[in-house]
Amino acid sequence: MQKIKRIAAYQIDLPLHEGSYNWSGGKSVQVFDSTIVSIETDDGFIGYGECCPLGPFYLPAYAEGVRSGLKELGPYLLGLSATDHSQLNMVMDRCLKGHPHVKSPIDMASWDIKGQTANMSVGQLLGGTYGDDFVLYRAISQTEPEAMAENVKKHRKEGYRRFQLKVGGDPDVDIERIRLVSEQLSPGDKLIADANTGWTMHEALRVIKAVGDIDVYIEQPCDSYNECLSIRQRTIHPFILDECINGIGILIRGYTDKAMDVVNIKISKFGGITKAALARDLCTQLGIAMTIEDSWGGDITTSAIAHLAHSTQPDLLFTATDFNSYVTVRTADGAPQRNDGRMKASIDPGLGIKPLMDVLGEPVIDIH
């Protein structure tokens, strides 16, 4: 039955190649604090998951909160089937209200175990993969407009053709950012102006009007769903929702209101692969394009993203993320690597990764 007998957690710092990651409102992170979770079964299988919030000022999630939540939740999960995702999520939701980021690495690790026991990759368990690989985007950290344009130029040489431009600051500067970056693009490239909730409604309208001649997607311009819907109804640009989409209910409302053309599905925001896959499948039925990603992470998070993205219908997969190429620390062998702006999921059982235990060190939480 693969009963859970031990849950452990490891804390890992993930510095960035570029030194810092900056977005709206002056928010910035230099070193990401990630939690890697292992689940061990009574038959000796071990699965791994990861949760890495984008600092405490992005979503209602923070790194120490992941570990505090695991201490609270973990004892209730001992003895449960590690491969019965329905029961596992039901118990997690009963024993800890909310806090999906705490549950995400547990659910992710359970999928890793299920794949190992079935001798199938997570991508195969999720319905099978499409084609040889899938398309990635590159997030362009917020800085001066000229520097952002140079970064896009550099990453185009690495094969990226989709760029998520971090805006959400001074509208005049953001207009310049969008214009200068758009000049670096070629036909077929895609540009996303991601405000990360940073504009007020009047600022969002100013920017949208000023870039009306540019082929650009507008992503989460304002904080609330209603504010974003108001902007959506007054723009001709394709529209993406992210931060305000945190469950199936608001996803259905967004579809009903015609609030977005693309939606971002972050694994930890939904609470793990199980619920993120449910959202993915609903979007597939409704014809909503998707970006498959997470808040942040390293090799294990990137592996989970790859399996969910590679098993998503290609015409509805807008793009996905390769977080392990942003950070300087490797935490697992076998994780997918970008190749010319694209990536493919492992075909090995489970997530297809082998954690580097010398990097993980001793667990900071050990529940058994």
Side-chain angles (χ1 to χ4, degrees):
M1 186 178 175
Q2 303 304 333
K3 291 183 179 180
I4 297 172
K5 77 169 188 178
R6 181 189 181 202
I7 299 172
Y10 305 82
Q11 188 278 325
I12 302 292
D13 286 336
L14 299 176
L16 291 156
H17 286 292
E18 294 184 359
S20 67
Y21 182 74
N22 314 306
W23 67 103
S24 66
K27 303 178 186 73
S28 180
V29 175
Q30 289 74 45
V31 178
F32 287 91
D33 183 346
S34 183
T35 302
I36 292 176
V37 173
S38 69
I39 292 179
E40 183 177 351
T41 72
D42 57 358
D43 288 344
F45 287 91
I46 303 177
Y48 292 87
E50 180 180 14
C51 181
C52 184
L54 192 61
F57 32 65
Y58 174 60
L59 293 172
Y62 65 104
E64 283 293 345
V66 176
R67 295 186 283 272
S68 295
L70 288 169
K71 292 177 185 178
E72 179 71 27
L73 184 58
Y76 294 101
L77 308 181
L78 298 178
L80 296 181
S81 169
T83 57
D84 187 340
H85 308 302
S86 295
Q87 183 194 37
L88 187 62
N89 276 274
M90 179 182 68
V91 173
M92 287 197 291
D93 288 344
R94 283 180 176 175
C95 295
L96 183 65
K97 295 295 184 182
H99 304 285
H101 57 292
V102 175
K103 303 163 187 176
S104 182
I106 296 171
D107 181 79
M108 195 181 292
S110 77
W111 279 90
D112 191 20
I113 292 172
K114 188 170 186 175
Q116 293 175 41
T117 60
N119 197 32
M120 298 172 66
S121 72
V122 170
Q124 290 173 305
L125 293 174
L126 289 170
T129 56
Y130 293 88
D132 296 327
D133 55 18
F134 56 89
V135 66
L136 299 168
Y137 78 81
R138 188 73 186 187
I140 306 300
S141 180
Q142 188 178 111
T143 184
E144 296 304 313
E146 295 82 0
M148 295 177 80
E150 283 300 312
N151 283 337
V152 167
K153 186 177 179 180
K154 178 185 74 173
H155 291 306
R156 280 198 89 257
K157 294 178 180 178
E158 297 171 346
Y160 292 99
R161 295 294 180 267
R162 301 187 181 190
F163 301 95
Q164 188 190 71
L165 197 65
K166 294 302 177 180
V167 290
D170 182 310
D172 293 318
V173 180
D174 284 336
I175 292 164
E176 187 178 3
R177 286 173 172 131
I178 295 168
R179 287 203 169 277
L180 287 181
V181 167
S182 68
E183 293 171 3
Q184 301 296 324
L185 305 184
S186 297
D189 294 353
K190 287 185 171 61
L191 177 62
I192 302 106
D194 183 9
N196 288 118
T197 76
W199 290 322
T200 58
M201 286 193 289
H202 71 90
E203 290 172 331
L205 287 171
R206 277 194 61 210
V207 175
I208 288 168
K209 181 180 178 180
V211 300
D213 60 322
I214 296 175
D215 184 6
V216 59
Y217 289 73
I218 303 299
E219 180 171 337
Q220 192 75 34
C222 305
D223 184 49
S224 72
Y225 172 85
N226 285 336
E227 289 170 318
C228 288
L229 178 60
S230 174
I231 302 302
R232 155 70 164 174
Q233 292 168 339
R234 290 181 277 178
T235 179
I236 61 172
H237 291 291
F239 210 79
I240 303 173
L241 288 182
D242 180 5
E243 284 85 352
C244 65
I245 302 296
N246 56 9
I248 297 298
I250 192 68
L251 182 59
I252 294 172
R253 182 182 172 190
Y255 170 75
T256 303
D257 291 343
K258 298 181 175 61
M260 71 280 188
D261 304 291
V262 183
V263 65
N264 286 8
I265 296 177
K266 286 182 165 67
I267 293 174
S268 64
K269 189 167 62 173
F270 278 83
I273 293 176
T274 300
K275 292 181 180 178
L278 176 62
R280 186 273 308 268
D281 293 342
L282 177 61
C283 286
T284 300
Q285 291 298 311
L286 297 176
I288 304 170
M290 294 160 275
T291 291
I292 303 294
E293 57 175 354
D294 211 325
S295 295
W296 205 268
D299 286 317
I300 296 173
T301 292
T302 302
S303 299
I305 291 168
H307 285 290
L308 188 57
H310 209 161
S311 59
T312 297
Q313 192 170 304
D315 61 336
L316 292 175
L317 180 64
F318 183 63
T319 189
T321 323
D322 56 324
F323 284 130
N324 61 351
S325 74
Y326 293 73
V327 300
T328 64
V329 174
R330 291 185 57 240
T331 57
D333 286 331
Q337 305 295 321
R338 75 160 190 254
N339 181 19
D340 199 28
R342 302 182 71 85
M343 181 176 277
K344 61 182 178 181
S346 171
I347 60 173
D348 292 336
L351 291 175
I353 51 94
K354 294 182 180 178
L356 300 172
M357 301 309 297
D358 58 331
V359 176
L360 269 57
E362 294 298 317
V364 295
I365 298 171
D366 196 346
I367 302 167
H368 56 277

